[in-house]
Amino acid sequence: MEAKSRDDCVFLAKISEQAERYPEMLEYVKGFVKYAGAQLMPEERSLLSVAYKNLTGNLRASWRIISQLEEIEGPKARPFEFALMRKQREKIERELIGVCEDVLNLLDKVLIPAALPGEEKVFYCKMKGDYYRYIAEFSRSDAQKRAATASLDAYKLAYKTALSTLEATHPTRLGLALNFSVYYRDVLNSPERACHLAKHAFDEAVAVLDQMPEQTFRDSLIILQLLRDDLTVWFQEMQEQEKRDAAIRKPL
């Protein structure tokens, strides 16, 4: 169905989301971006995020499954079977890169240049960090380094802006802290920095919890729970690693 207005695009994007037809949803999202002149309302930004998140989420899940099969079954597989697994993984990687580059192009050329200071800019720069992080997850060598650096730069800009413009309990600021800490752990392999960032964001928000606006209370609490869960797991991992390191250093 052809969308003839911004409202049509928003409505059809919602319908497509409910029907889980995310490629079509993305087309309607791009439609209201065009009609809006890149000035999106919060609901429209949410639809933008949902469309790309579901497209990449399915591909990332598929990539992890194939990668695990390669690792577990590869040594036992016949050469042509192993080659087929690798070919399938590479096909998924190309699709995933295509989606990530599509959203990054939209962010760099359209949305970030038009973003207002504050929550809107933080939202888009966080997205930029996220999608470069996704590329870094499966890339190799120089490509991985470039994606990791671009992701870090975007997260740093988003976080600097968030600290100066958003309340400690704002869900966009908390969501950024959550994803930025995951970047430190999963991409840079630095659980210490991940824990430091996550704990700082968590503690600052909890300190002013009684001042949290009612309209964002539920969303902020959900992200705080996720931060706490990650911190619990990461602290345990660091303690276990310290025990293993101590055992290695212990003289016989």
Side-chain angles (χ1 to χ4, degrees):
M1 181 177 180
E2 183 181 356
K4 298 182 179 180
S5 69
R6 178 176 181 173
D7 289 343
D8 283 353
C9 289
V10 172
F11 176 76
L12 289 169
K14 292 178 181 178
I15 295 298
S16 299
E17 178 187 2
Q18 293 178 32
E20 298 184 0
R21 296 184 59 87
Y22 299 111
E24 290 179 10
M25 180 184 181
L26 182 56
E27 291 305 310
Y28 295 127
V29 164
K30 289 182 177 180
F32 65 63
V33 169
K34 182 179 179 180
Y35 278 118
Q39 294 293 334
L40 303 186
M41 301 295 289
E43 180 186 45
E44 294 168 332
R45 292 200 295 271
S46 178
L47 289 168
L48 168 81
S49 177
V50 168
Y52 280 109
K53 183 176 181 180
N54 279 282
L55 286 172
T56 54
N58 291 336
L59 289 168
R60 292 171 72 212
S62 299
W63 182 86
R64 284 191 290 266
I65 291 170
I66 297 295
S67 296
Q68 289 172 0
L69 286 172
E70 273 191 292
E71 184 176 344
I72 297 171
E73 301 295 334
K76 299 179 289 183
R78 287 172 290 182
F80 81 92
E81 292 175 334
F82 184 74
L84 288 173
M85 283 191 285
R86 183 178 66 248
K87 186 176 181 180
Q88 183 65 16
R89 172 178 52 78
E90 290 172 348
K91 178 177 182 292
I92 294 169
E93 289 176 358
R94 288 193 296 271
E95 291 180 22
L96 186 49
I97 287 175
V99 178
C100 289
E101 288 182 344
D102 185 60
V103 63
L104 289 168
N105 183 63
L106 184 63
L107 289 165
D108 279 334
K109 294 185 177 180
V110 179
L111 296 172
I112 291 177
L116 298 174
E119 196 269 342
E120 188 175 351
K121 185 174 182 180
V122 173
F123 184 93
Y124 292 139
C125 289
K126 171 188 169 294
M127 279 191 73
K128 183 175 179 178
D130 289 340
Y131 286 92
Y132 272 119
R133 171 164 60 89
Y134 299 160
I135 295 175
E137 286 176 346
F138 62 83
S139 299
R140 297 163 189 82
S141 190
D142 290 343
Q144 196 276 340
K145 292 178 182 177
R146 287 194 297 270
T149 298
S151 180
L152 180 60
D153 290 343
Y155 279 137
K156 282 183 174 180
L157 177 58
Y159 205 62
K160 179 180 179 181
T161 306
L163 291 177
S164 62
T165 61
L166 302 179
E167 304 87 355
T169 58
H170 196 291
T172 299
R173 174 169 163 174
L174 289 172
L176 168 62
L178 177 67
N179 289 17
F180 197 0
S181 61
V182 169
Y183 167 87
Y184 276 127
R185 178 185 180 273
D186 292 353
V187 177
L188 295 192
N189 194 29
S190 178
E192 296 85 359
R193 278 188 283 183
C195 286
H196 176 78
L197 193 155
K199 189 175 186 305
H200 180 265
F202 182 88
D203 290 345
E204 281 202 326
V206 169
V208 291
L209 208 57
D210 58 333
Q211 303 172 26
M212 190 183 302
E214 185 177 346
Q215 62 268 27
T216 61
F217 190 84
R218 181 176 177 276
D219 290 341
S220 297
L221 281 184
I222 290 173
I223 302 172
L224 284 170
Q225 180 65 56
L226 292 172
L227 282 167
R228 187 173 67 178
D229 291 346
D230 281 350
L231 282 167
T232 300
V233 172
W234 297 342
F235 276 130
Q236 289 176 347
E237 289 177 349
M238 286 193 298
Q239 290 172 350
E240 291 170 1
Q241 184 61 49
E242 288 174 359
K243 290 178 181 178
R244 289 193 292 268
D245 293 342
I248 293 172
R249 291 193 300 267
K250 187 177 181 180
L252 297 176

